[in-house]
Amino acid sequence: MTSIRNIVILTGAGISAESGIDTFRSEGGLWEQHRVEDVATPEAFERDPDLVLRFYDMRREAIQTKEPNAAHHALAKLDAEWDGELLIVTQNVDDLHERAGARRVLHMHGEHLNAWCTACDVRSPWTGTLIDRPACPECGEAALRPDVVWFGEMPYQMDEIFAALRGADLFVSIGTSGAVYPAAGFVRNARELGAETLELNLEPSQGTAWFDEARHGPATRIVQAWVEEMLSLHR
Ligand code: APR
């Protein structure tokens, strides 16, 4: 990897696994414990809002007891020290990148610690529960929902993501199974746009064949090693 200046990093549930946050598709993962169509679609929310709100209330509460791990800290260090363009596009709705100190972070699937008012369209920081139908701090309506992108909804900030991919010399995918689009397609988009591509994951992802290089192992080990390599080779 020579003359790398602009980097786009995609992260998924695997980067938070060693912080104790369940992934979705690993053995015993969230989608084994719950059916996607019961808790993660707009139709589920219409049909049984209590079930959906309770599910996200539990997840929101849980992430607040977890801490960033060495992989989040390593990316925060890269963000702080990297002179070129850098964007961490995360599918994760936890705030562990930010709590590790990363600044250039975009949450394409929303954030647990926001509530979105369907009456006035304003997003407010939220750490408590939504099951009791609290009033929106902005408009006072009891119309808050989790600010999480459900299946069938459009991920956030796609224009910003594609602008970053167009300028990227290197695309790195960390801790994601490559099962959910459009994120799973970024590796192909990045290649077509001329970037080198690298996978860092516990095991080969569904899209592993699309990457120029793949390194497999736990994120706390392989992300830290890759960041040190980037900072020593490309200063
Ligand atoms: N280090 C690195 N990778 C890991 C680790 C670890 N310690 N533990 C698990 N992984 C890998 C798994 O091997 C798997 O490939 O992380 C990946 C997690 O995959 P998923 O559970 O499918 O999570 P993700 O890819 O983020 O899911 C994408 O699906 O349901 C939606 O909206 C949800 O954003 C999520 C999207």
Side-chain angles (χ1 to χ4, degrees):
M1 284 182 212
T2 48
S3 66
I4 301 293
R5 190 158 168 75
N6 300 334
I7 310 174
V8 174
I9 301 167
L10 173 70
T11 67
I15 198 168
S16 295
E18 289 164 86
S19 293
I21 298 180
D22 289 337
T23 64
F24 297 95
R25 293 172 186 79
S26 306
E27 221 182 295
L30 271 180
W31 297 152
E32 258 181 30
Q33 303 164 42
H34 305 269
R35 282 159 30 111
V36 167
E37 52 274 36
D38 287 343
V39 294
T41 65
E43 294 77 18
F45 187 52
E46 250 172 57
R47 198 168 54 236
D48 192 346
D50 279 10
L51 179 72
V52 174
L53 292 173
R54 206 171 294 117
F55 174 75
Y56 287 97
D57 281 355
M58 280 166 55
R59 304 274 300 152
R60 193 179 310 103
E61 190 185 348
I63 63 150
Q64 294 177 70
T65 68
K66 311 297 182 193
E67 298 297 330
N69 64 47
H72 298 105
H73 285 294
L75 291 189
K77 179 177 176 192
L78 185 65
D79 179 22
E81 298 184 13
W82 190 257
D83 282 340
E85 298 288 327
L86 179 146
L87 181 64
I88 300 171
V89 177
T90 188
Q91 299 167 88
N92 297 345
V93 289
D94 66 50
D95 63 339
L96 297 187
H97 284 305
E98 288 87 346
R99 276 201 270 143
R103 289 168 172 269
R104 292 179 274 184
V105 182
L106 183 160
H107 284 269
M108 66 177 291
H109 290 169
E111 295 177 63
H112 269 322
L113 297 182
N114 272 349
W116 173 21
C117 180
T118 56
C120 72
D121 200 29
V122 169
R123 291 168 168 83
S124 306
W126 205 265
T127 53
T129 56
L130 293 175
I131 187 77
D132 34 356
R133 309 298 198 280
C136 167
E138 199 63 28
C139 73
E141 291 289 321
L144 295 172
R145 60 161 270 185
D147 189 18
V148 165
V149 175
W150 287 324
F151 285 90
E153 295 183 323
M154 183 63 90
Y156 297 158
Q157 294 178 277
M158 292 300 292
D159 290 349
E160 287 84 344
I161 295 171
F162 272 93
L165 286 173
R166 273 192 291 276
D169 305 308
L170 174 65
F171 171 78
V172 188
S173 173
I174 303 176
T176 176
S177 60
V180 175
Y181 284 80
F186 290 166
V187 59
R188 269 175 278 176
N189 303 134
R191 279 176 84 104
E192 282 162 17
L193 293 164
E196 289 181 41
T197 54
L198 169 67
E199 168 168 282
L200 302 175
N201 204 49
L202 188 62
E203 59 200 357
S205 73
Q206 288 185 26
T208 196
W210 291 101
F211 289 86
D212 296 314
E213 187 190 346
R215 301 180 190 176
H216 298 131
T220 49
R221 179 163 59 76
I222 62 175
V223 174
Q224 220 173 359
W226 170 71
V227 166
E228 290 310 323
E229 189 183 308
M230 289 302 289
L231 290 175
S232 64
L233 288 178
H234 297 277
R235 268 186 204 281

